[in-house]
Structure formats: structure tokens, C-alpha cells
Amino acid sequence: MQALRPPAERVPLLPAAREWRSGVHAPATAPLCTRMSIIVTDTRARSTDRILALPDEVRRRPRAAFAVLLGVAAAVYFLQLGASAFFMDEIFSWSAARQDFGQMFTQVSRVEVTPPLYYVFLHFWLDLTGASSETMMRLPSAIAGVGLVAAVAWLGTIVGDRKVGLTAGALTALSPLVLSYAQMVRAYVFVMLAATITVAAVIRLVQRPDERRWVVLAIVAGVTAILLHYTVALVFVPLGIWLLCAREVHLGARLAVLGAFAAPAVALLPLLGEQMSQGHHANGATDYARITSTGMMRLIATPFDGRAILNVMPSYQLGFVALVDAVALLAFMDRFRTLRTRWLLVGTAVFPLVLIIVVSALVNPFAVSRYTAVATPFMLVVIALVAWRVPRTVGFAILAAAFVASALGVAAANTPTGRWPDVRSATAYVGQQAERGDVFAGLTGLQFGGSNLLYEERYGVPALQFGSPEEALTAPESRAALRSDRAVFLAAWPPIEGLWQTVERSGFAVRSARQFSGGTWPVEVLEVVRR
Amino acid sequence: MVPFPGYLDRHRVVIARAAALLAIVGGTVYLVWRAQMITELGPAAWAFFVAEVFTFLTLVSAVPLMWTPRPRRWAPPPRGTLDVFITVANEPLEMVEATLQAALDIDYPHETYILNDGEMAGSSTSGAIEALAARFGVTCFTRTDGARGKAGNLNNALRRTDGEFVAVIDADHLARPDLADDLLGHFHPRVAFVATRQDFRLEANDWLNNTDFFFYAVIQPAKDRDNAAFSCGNGVIYRRTALDDIGGFSEWNLVEDLHTSYQLHARGWQSVYVPRPVTTGTAPSTAAELAAQRLRWATDSLRLFFWDNPFVKKGLSWRQRIHYGQTTGIYYLATAFQVVFLLCPVLTLLFGIDVLQVDSAGQYLTHLLAFGLPFAVMLVAFAGVRGAVRLVQMQSFLAPVFCVAAFRALRMRDSSTKAFSGVTRKTSQQTMSRITLLQWSIFVLLVGSVGFELARDWGIEWGAVLWALVMAVSLCAQNSMVSMKWDVTHSMRIALTAPVAVALLVALLSVWAPLPGASPTQVLAAQSGPANAPVNLDPAPQPHTRLLPPRRGVYMGVYDADFQQGEVSTAEYGDANMRILHRYQQWWGDSRDFDRTWADKVAEDGRVPMITWEPWLKPENSVTDPDQRPELLDRIADGEWDDYIERYAAAAADYRNPMVIRFMHEVNGTWYPWAAEVNGNTPQAFQRAFRHVHGIFERAGASNVSWVFGIDSHETSTEELETLYPGDDYVDWVGLSGFNWGPEGYYALERSFLAAFKSTVDLVTPLGKPVMLSEVGTSALSLDPAGWLEGALSDVRELPSVKAMVLFNADTPDADFRLTDDALGVLSRDATAKRLAPRMNSRLAR
């Protein structure tokens, strides 16, 4: 048998070998495999900034970059501002705002489910400018949209840095949803703006508890937001919880802000009760707001929902992926552990979605993006923040998905015929064609009659409202007109299939027929005369 | 004496055994049930079934082998001389240095050697390794020629050393000082090697399952009981004389460990497995590197299975044969079959190829759980929750790898054809490879097919959607390992998993949500509606949906006299899925308007109403009255009854759901007043009347109506057919009526299903429209009604243009066509086949 040999003499290890053996080359907090990897691979830190970096000259000139951003936003929002005819909601806004305050409040409490502040503002705007054109009436929304881009950029800057801010602003400028509301005579873009300023002010308050101006700004913006739309509560719930837990801020300041939010909310409860008692929303928003897979996917991709736009499913799917990825990474990646605003951003981005989906599943259907629109700024800030903070491949993919989704939505929205039904051209056509004694009859319950009042007034052709062509043709006004060889203009949106045949079966003739493209379906106008 | 730690707890073994037995029983029940429903399905379904069977057989064959692990106890004190071989190929110098120092620190007296294969491997650090050895005063064997691979390197050293025992340590593994103390004592005279568990420096979650607790704590100890545990190539001590007995380390295979163990066992040597690690080292930390490693192992093992098969290897015991058969072949092939499980949902969602009986999802889940639940419990008992999840995930991930390995192994009989060899890279591990592109492609296909399916308007296959999403989720963890950087893989994992997981939640919620789902078109269109509009405005009417023929198979349907009374129950037909419910409606009968209530009830059950619309008043106790309303067809075409037709059309348009109208059927007969040859009618008048009515429906917007041009299945010429056929723009289906009248029937004609239909189907098939056998009946007094129906359900396969078959179950003045109890039994049994219950196909028809 071979003789046993003693252990070899010890030789000191070189440092690298020592580190490899002990496995402690990397920081102790890193997982072991990372420490191993750092040793065995070339892992020189590569900044994610490199691939997504802004041009040097832009980085050197933050104000220039910000101005470019606002310029892009303005170009997007002001382009085609007046191209589309008014959507019926906008005409409701106009209809309420042009009245005196008493009538306005009555109408708002009966027709709308929003607080009255926006209509008061619109009332003064109409008084001040005498606006009646689409462009002028939508101008405040477009300006607010640009303001929203600035506010989101500011929010992104204070939760992240300038790159995050500019990216979030760019996403906002190209968001199909923001574009939709920035070109609409409605309160949504204003409430998004006010909510963004409120959240940013509260964050600033937590970051700089000694600066009282943030208390003031938070209260002013928050109360304004509450008076603009009830849906802001979906953002203010997580905001309130976060602020309540922010011990950096003096308790008195926290309670002051929260109390200021609560006061108008409580004051508005009777109005909300009255509005709900009118039957509107008693059984949910509408039939189409039910829980469906595609509906939920579109809801989750709220910032990329261009509302009136059809056939942009990839936009929703990409937006869905970008948003879910960003929120999940923010919530679950360790590197965000030290981010003070982490759960605030997650809450403001997710809570509205979760609540709306749960309510839609369990109570009544509300799963449409107008109820979650208020979360859009925070969703976009989350996307921008995460994209700049995670490894570049993932960050680049998220940003690419978000921008492609936005581009698809914006491109689909900017059609030459506008995004809403072209009732303007249809009514103008009737105004040109109609002679004294003719009758203008609106069918299918939408856009004509009361909701087309503005155009009827503009073109001097008041419309009668009917539920069906038969009803329209047998109405006394129509019969009288037809008997005296006058015409009846039947206008329908959505178009009624077989309308022409129905007219002919009723014993009348169609002298002319026109279709006006725009939005999801064309508006159809038939000029009916006695055979 | 106390056994080593590292074995499974006894109570977990007991639970696992019980669960395994239950899984075998449950699996048998499941497969027998599946076998009964598989007969009518296509190749994809068969592949799926075979994969299921293979998975089950793997379990059945593995359970006895895993039944009793062998608990090794502490060994007697070590003895004998020991040589420690550190095999080096192209590892970094500092890594080798650390490994060398650890080897030198082994407590037991030993001689350490560096086996430098750097020059053979093309490494630039070969000279530095020699300098390193000189610095530490150890012998370095540097090869410049000889057999490639680790075995050649080891054999080179084996010839130049003389220790009784040889410990093999890879260059990236740090030996523990007590390495030899525990192992050398196990060397009884016939023991050839002592293998150990492998230990790696891993991140906490071990997404690539390098720990493989199941293998090291369950499989290897169980193999050890049957003297079939094999060496893992590192941290193993061999007896020199045993190696000499087989001519040294095996150079036949790509890697030496498995085949060397195999040869030793075949020569009658014994082995010992100690489930305690004696070294700690690195493991693949990227999916691509892991895939490359497992491809190497799988190719190696399958090559052994194919070309040196354990079942015919001389010298092995039968239990060793099964162990080696399991290890080298069955495991890899069964895993490779799991590609089928990954791809089947894609086939279903993208191409409509169904592999399961969709309409029995609940039943399927019940049977599957009988197998799956105890199987899952067994895995959890053996490997823990995380280990079980990792095992399942790795099966999905490795399935394509093992497919490739199987093909490679088949081409590598001769060792000279070795296509590749090598060791796992310790540095700069590859981040993407052709193999992982496969997994990525499958992942993209799964997710893409879900997106494609969700864009459908109607009839979403939720089962397949959920299945695809579960498969995608299971691939996320491994697919995300694209870097050696933890933060990259961590973010990738979240980025891949989160959208798929949320989509899964969304799909589950959609399935669960109590409210009926609106179509995406509704949602899209309606989102353009008013934000806060007054109540009761419906800006987005539900789109019209039209029935299309199934992509595969035949819709079943039935006419039941009860339907005339407004009933919709099909309970009488058992499990047969009656997609089309048929009733008749006369223009001048008591109930002549569209029965929306009945149609709604039909639609609620997911079925389609078919109305045979007859412009007559059916006489009492007869089905014949050709003289009603002379020149009926011309009068229809001239609009005499347009008010009624328009009312009916408006109601049908308002219904919006798919419906079928068989208008003026059996026009080639002589018994109805609309027949072309009677009552002053002409074929041209028929065409005119058909088109006129069709036009009214079209103008009313009733695009949800599918039109059936119906003829009787008797001898008809092509010319006659052409003169009757209203035209492609007016016809969606061609309907045929045919019966087996039986000896007592009006025609006293006993004929088979094919005799009744085949010639007429051949006649109408060139029209290019799907064929509906709109009245199929056999007399209750015929010779064998049940047999006739059984033949019909089978023979319809010979008529590929037939896309729907509507049975006639009623008594008539001419014959009693009610289905007998036996026939109903046949129907309930045979019409459940997937071929006769295809998924509904439709499209929006705006």
C-alpha cells in the first residue's frame, strides 16, 4: 500500500482567488449569484442612461427641452382642434354653461353626474369670449392639456429626475386618452390637471415639510379637483392614506390638507345623491361597461384608450403590457424600496382600476376608461420612472411599447373626418337644402334633437326627434309638410339599415341621400318627398 | 447509527407514497375516460393523448423505483491512499487557484494533481495553470494530444498516478476539508465509487432548479438501494482497481460520469451514494447556458439509451436496467413529449384545432384532478412546494431541449460523430442561444394566441386561453434568465410574468363575472358614447352575428315536436350537443310571427334557432297540399305578402343573434304549394320569390340570418338544380331532407344513411356551399333505428361537405320518425364526439 502523504504546505492565495473562494466580492446585500457573477463576468456597471440618453445639448438646456415638450403637446392638441364636430357630451356642456346659474345647476343636477365647477367656468368663458365655434369652445381644454403635460413633467421630476419628468410629459403629450379629452368640451382634462398638481404638491410637502406653500397649493388644487369631478376620489383615497402615514409632515398640516379635501366632498354628497336619484347610472354606466376580457384590458390601458377609435386593439394590448409591467416592477423590484413615493404611485395608478373592476364585477358595470382617466398622469409617471430605473433592455421595451401604443392611438384619432359623428356637416347640409316648410327629423335618439341643439341653432334648422322612420313620417308635422310638397329630412346616427326602403314602402320617395363620414359610423341624411 | 442528513423525512416519504398510489389510480381512471372520447378526434388530439399516456407511464415506472430510498449511515474510518484530480479546461486562473487551495486543504492525507486540458480546449491560460501548479508545488499534467474531453484528461492522469482512490473535482468546485473522511470509509471491497450530492452557490430562488432536491434527495438514494446510483462527475471518489477493470474512464460518451458508472455497474461493481455535498461550485445562471448543459446531458443519456441500451446490456440486474432505462431514456422522452402540452393551446386558439372535448370542461377538470391532485401532492411531498413548482417549470422549459437532444442522439451512434463536447461555461455565460429561441418562440406563440383569441367577438375558448396563459406563466421564470446579472433577470422576470399573470386574472374574472360579456365590438363602439348622457341612450346596438359552418366537424341539431310549443330542452338527447334547434312556421298558421321568446331561450343556451319557413297552411293530418294559393311563387315575388315578410324580417333583424331560415324547402318535390313543378309555379318564379324575400331581410338589416336553400334528397339532375338555385348571393347553406322510411312508411323504403344522402350531397357539393342535412330521420318501425342512426353518425364522415346534421324526431302522418330509446342511447353516446360537437363559428355581420 502506498504510504499516506501529509497535506501540502499552504500557499497564500492571490486576492482574486481569495475573493472567489469566499464569495464576498460583491456587496453583502446582493444575492449570492450576483456576487458570483460580479466575480466571474465583466459586469462593469452600464448605465441605462446611455441607450435612452437625451442629446447633450438638450441635457444642457433643460428649459429648452421642456419648451420642446410643451411645443409638441401644443402641436398635438391644437392640431385639428376644431376638425371634429361636437360630440353630444360637449353639446350638453355648452347647453348647461350658456344658461344662468340657477338653470345651469338644475340641468347639471338632472343630466350630469359631476359637480358644477366646470360648467361655471365654461359659463364665464362663453361670456368672456362669446365662443361658439368648436375651436374656441375646446380651447380651454387644449390649454389645460398642455398644462397637464407640464404638471406631469413636474411630477415626474420630483419623484424621479428630469429625464423621468420629460419622458412622462412626452407620454402625456402623446397619450390618446389625454388627446381625446384635451379636444373635448368636458371636465376630464381639468380634473387630471388638478389631481396631478395636488399629488405633486403633497409630495413636495412631504419632501419639504417646512414649506407651507405646498399645503396651500395642495388644498387649492385638491378642492378644485373635487369640485370638478367625483372620480378624483379614486386618486385621493391612496393619496390621503399616504399623506396620513407621512410622519415627516406635521400632523396639523396633514389634517389640514385632508380636512380641506373632505369638506367639499361632504358638501357635494347631497348633489351626488340627487344626481344619482335621477336614474342616471343607477344600474351602472351602460351596458357596454360590463366585465369582459377585452374591456378590462382596454380599461387597464387607460392612457392609451383613444375612446372613439375602433380597430386599434394592438394599441390597447401594448399599452396594457407597458402599464402592467411598469406597475409590477415598481411594486416588486428591490431597487425601488428606497423610493419614498413608491406606494403612492402604485396606489394612484392601480386603485382606480381595481375599484372600478371590482365594482363592475360585483355591483354595477362601470368598466370604461372615463372613470379611470384621472389615474392617467400617475400611470404615465410610473411608466417613465420605471423605464429609467430598470435595466436598459426592459426599460427600453416598456418605453417602446408605451410610445408605439400612443402613436397608434394618436394616428387613429387624427383622421380627416374627425373622431366624432359629423352631425355638423349633416345639419349644415340640411340648413342649405331646407326651405321654408320643410321638416328636419332626427332618428335613433342620438345627436339629433336636444343633443344637436347647438348645430340646429347655428344652421337654423330645429329638429324634431323621433324613435323610428315610420314615426317620423307619420308625425303631423311631417304629414303636413309632405302634403304641401315640402320635404322631410331624415337624419340618423348610427345609420338605420333599410331606411331608404322603409321610406319607399311608406309611399314616399327619396329625392336625395347623403352620408357624412366621421367617427365610428357615418351620419345618414335622406330628403323625403311625396311620391 | 444515525443516517446522514440529506434524506427525505420519513413522514414525507409516506405521504408521497400514498399520493403516488392515488395518482396511479386516478391517472388510470382519467386515461380510460379520455380513451373513450378520443376516438373521433384528429391527429393533434391523438398526440395530446399519447403525451398524456407517456407522462402517466413515466410516473408508473418511476414510482416503484423511488419507493424506498437507501439511508446510508456513517461510514467506518477512512483508509487507503488518495489522489485528488482537479480537471481544468479553460477556467479562469483565480478560480483554479481557489479550487486548488481548497483541494490542498482536504484534511485526509492525499496527493493533489492539476489535470490541465487547457491546450486541448484552446485556452490561452494553459501556461499560467502550469505556473500556478508550480507555485503551489503540485504536479500538473498538461495534455497536448489524446482523446478529447474530460475522460481523456482523467485517463491521462490515471496512467501516471498510483493512489488507491481517485477523487475528481471540477475546476469550479471548492472541496470541503472533510471530503475524504466521510467517503473513503464506504469503500467495501466491491464498491467502485462513492458519489455525492452537488452543491452550488445559487441565488435564493434558484429559478433554474440547479439544486434539484428531487434528484439528489429522492432519485439518487432510491437508485442507491438498487445499486444504480451514478456519478455526477464531481465530488466523487473512484476505486482505481475498478476503473482499471473497465479500462479507465469511459471515453465513448460526451461526458464521462454516467457511462463510467454504467460500465462499472455492468461489470458487477457496486456504488454508494451519499446525499451530502463535499464540494461547492458554480452552476449555469442563464437559461441559455443551462439549456446547453442539459442538451449535452440529454444527448449523452439518450445516446446511451439508443445505442448502448440498458435493457440489453449484459451484467446489469433487472432493477438496474429499469433505473438506467428511466434515467437515460424514458425521463427525457416523456419530458420531450410535453412540447405537445405547450403547443396544443396555440393550435386551438390560432387554428381551431381542438384536442379536448370543450363542452365537458367540468367533467374534464374532475377527471384531471383525480390524477393531477395526488400527483401534485406527491411532488410537493418529495420536493417541497418550491421544488415542485420548479420541477414543473423546468419540464416545460426543457421539453424543446430534449426534443433536439433526441434527434441529435439518434444521429450519434459512433463516438467519432460527436457533434460537440465541452463544459459548462463559468464565465461570460451565453445569454441567448438557438435552443432558448425555441422557448421564446413558444412563449410568444402562447401569448400571441391569447391576444388573437381575445380579439374574437364571440365564442372565446376560455379553457384554451387559461391553459395558454398558465403555460406562458410557467415559462416566464426560465425565459427571463437572459443574463448573469441578477437585476436584469429579476426585472425581466417581473416584466414577463406580470402582464401574463394579470391577463390570467382578467380571463378568470371574465369567465367568472356573472353578467353576460359584451363583445369587444360593443365595447369599442360604445366607448364612443356619451360620457354623462341622459338615461336609456344606447349608442352601440349589438352587432348582428351570423352562423358560419364549423371549421371542423359537423353541427348537430334536432327537430322536436316540443319545440313547436316553445320548448327548448334537449335533455332527452343526453350529452349530445344539439347546436341547432329546428322548428317549422307556416305563413298562415296560428302563430305566424317570429317567436322572439323561443329564439331568445335558444340563444341563452348558446344554440342557434332554425326555422323552416313555409308559405302555406298545413292541412290537418297531411303533409301534402300542393294546390294552395295558385301561382304562389309569383305572388310572393310580386310582393303580395310583403307586409308580413317585412314584419318578420324586422323582428329577425332585431334578434341580432345567429339564426337560420330554411325557406320554401324541398322545392324539387311535388307536395308543397311552392314546389317548382306544381301550382302554376316555375323554377324561375322560385328563384325570384327566394331573392325577393331575401332582399326584404337584407334591407331590414337582418344580416344575422343564414339562408338555407332546401331540396329533397331524391334523384335530381344538375340542370334542375341549376334552374332552382337562387344564387350564391342568396344562399348560405344547401339543405337536404332524407329519411329511412322503413317497411311501413309512406314509401316503404328501407335504406341506409349513405343511400339516402350520398348521391344528392355529391350533386350539391359543387355549388360550393356548406351542406346541411336539414331533415334526417329513420322510421321507428324500420329494421334497426338505433343501428341506422349509429351508422349515420359514423358515415357522415364520408361526406366532407356536410357541415350540419339536423335530426327529425317527430311522428308524421307518413311515418313515425320518433327516435326510439335505443336510438336516443346511441345519440347520447356517439354524438358527444368532438367531431359532432365542434365549436360554434360565427362572424359579425354588420
Side-chain angles (χ1 to χ4, degrees), chain A residues 404-416:
Chain A
V404 170
S406 297
L408 287 173
V410 171
N414 282 297
T415 60

Side-chain angles (χ1 to χ4, degrees), chain B residues 67 128 134-135 221 253 267 378 404 416 492 569 581 700 702 761 827 833:
Chain B
W67 195 256
R135 186 158 65 85
N253 246 18
R267 290 284 295 173
M378 183 196 77
V404 176
S416 64
M492 279 289 289
S569 171
L581 302 193
V761 169
L827 196 61

